Amino acid sequence: MTQTQKLEEIEVIARSVGWGAAKILNSYYRGEGDLNVNEDKKDGPVTAADLAANRYILEKLQAVFHEDKFGYLSEETHKGTEPIPKDWVWIIDPLDGTRDFIDKTGEYALHIALAYQGRPMVAVVAIPEAQKIYYASKGHGTFVETKEGKITPIKVSERNKLEDLYLVVSRTHRDDRFQALIEALPLKDRIYMGSVGGKISTLLEKTSDIYISLSGKSAAKDWDFAAPELILTEAGGKFTHENGDPLIYNRGDVRQWGCLIASNGHCHEELCEKATELLAKIDNG
């Protein structure tokens, strides 16, 4: 059996776990469980829904992928600053966009990725309110599955001029430096929405072409990006640091510092150069 075949078998299990966790989030979102919102969590609010989905994902995956071979890096259970000493590591965000979940925007997601030596190999991004799951395994392309079981291959847009591209960014988490950058980029328009998974799904659905993360006092974490990165790149897009370096996961420090750019790939290098140039101008006043 080839590695690709093995990855596709793992992908089937991850999809099933993703649907189950999405159902749990759905039920809390619709008021079938007490949210018990904890606003004191260091990196933002956490709810009973985060914890319930996390328990479900870990129980289901660990029953098949034993901890003697597989590591687990989850937002809700992560502790310490050392890399997990395993080649294969599951990277999990049971509820990406908790604030959107609490505020009932519908723009929340869940991420499940399996990384090998720091790079994602299998990914599931569920958008519960859209009743869709986007999934990919390395070298096999990206697909979208509906609740009814319809599966369709999906690709990014063909738009290939900076002035024709649409940028999707967070409604919140934008400091003055970030705002100056996105206003200076010569793009068609800007779309504002919640979770990272939700934003990357808009690139797959061709309603946007670019997503940018720029760290300030804090930074996005491994679990924000690992699954969204693979569903984008397997659909034809690119996701790198502004200097073109790949993202590496499970390095110990889970924060992804700096300027990271995801795109449909057609103007990626030009976009990275432009962002670098603009940030230098902004930083020099």
Side-chain angles (χ1 to χ4, degrees):
M1 183 163 60
T2 67
Q3 187 184 62
T4 299
Q5 286 173 314
K6 288 178 183 176
L7 290 177
E8 288 179 20
E9 289 176 8
I10 293 171
E11 175 190 86
V12 170
I13 296 167
R15 275 163 54 204
S16 173
V17 174
W19 280 117
K23 187 175 180 181
I24 290 169
L25 294 180
N26 253 168
S27 67
Y28 276 93
Y29 190 79
R30 299 199 181 328
E32 294 167 28
D34 185 357
L35 272 185
N36 293 321
V37 180
N38 177 5
E39 295 279 4
D40 297 327
K41 188 178 176 234
K42 181 171 59 111
D43 293 321
V46 65
T47 69
D50 293 74
L51 301 175
N54 191 64
R55 276 194 304 273
Y56 174 87
I57 293 166
L58 289 178
E59 284 172 8
K60 292 295 183 183
L61 290 178
Q62 288 171 348
V64 181
F65 305 102
H66 303 297
E67 291 180 86
D68 58 342
K69 184 176 179 183
F70 292 85
Y72 288 85
L73 177 58
S74 169
E75 178 177 21
E76 302 310 331
T77 56
H78 167 69
K79 292 176 182 173
T81 56
E82 294 299 314
I84 294 170
K86 297 280 194 299
D87 280 343
W88 293 93
V89 176
W90 287 98
I91 303 175
I92 300 157
D93 190 344
L95 177 47
D96 176 45
T98 302
R99 174 54 63 193
D100 287 276
F101 187 87
I102 294 167
D103 292 345
K104 292 288 195 289
T105 70
E107 294 170 0
Y108 66 93
L110 74 89
H111 305 164
I112 302 171
L114 177 62
Y116 176 70
Q117 294 182 348
R119 296 292 297 139
M121 304 298 283
V122 173
V124 168
V125 172
I127 313 291
E129 294 309 306
Q131 299 191 332
K132 287 181 178 180
I133 277 186
Y134 300 88
Y135 66 91
S137 57
K138 186 71 174 173
H140 188 58
T142 299
F143 298 82
V144 57
E145 181 178 21
T146 66
K147 193 177 181 182
E148 295 72 38
K150 182 183 178 185
I151 294 174
T152 310
I154 195 163
K155 289 279 189 184
V156 293
S157 77
E158 293 294 329
R159 291 185 284 267
N160 59 11
K161 294 179 182 176
L162 278 186
E163 61 268 24
D164 292 337
L165 303 184
Y166 292 83
L167 171 71
V168 60
V169 288
S170 297
R171 285 205 181 88
T172 55
H173 307 303
R174 294 198 315 279
D175 59 17
D176 291 344
R177 183 172 179 249
F178 193 9
Q179 190 64 35
L181 172 63
I182 65 175
E183 287 175 2
L185 286 166
L187 305 173
K188 179 82 169 179
D189 206 354
R190 290 145 192 82
I191 301 164
Y192 299 94
M193 69 175 299
S195 67
V196 177
K199 292 186 193 76
I200 296 301
S201 77
T202 68
L203 273 78
L204 302 185
E205 297 290 352
K206 303 179 180 62
T207 56
S208 76
D209 310 286
I210 304 165
Y211 161 69
I212 297 175
S213 171
L214 183 64
S215 58
K217 292 180 180 177
S218 63
K221 313 296 192 300
D222 281 3
W223 44 77
D224 292 311
F225 292 151
E229 179 193 340
L230 191 65
I231 65 164
L232 175 64
T233 55
E234 284 295 314
K238 293 184 179 180
F239 200 153
T240 68
H241 290 270
E242 64 173 298
N243 64 0
D245 286 350
L247 282 71
I248 304 297
Y249 302 99
N250 186 36
R251 296 164 302 129
D253 183 356
V254 296
R255 295 168 294 183
Q256 292 283 348
W257 293 105
C259 180
L260 297 101
I261 298 177
S263 78
N264 66 1
H266 299 299
C267 303
H268 193 81
E269 289 72 23
E270 182 185 358
L271 184 64
C272 287
E273 288 172 12
K274 192 72 177 171
T276 301
E277 173 192 319
L278 288 170
L279 284 171
K281 284 183 182 176
I282 292 164
D283 293 342
N284 289 328

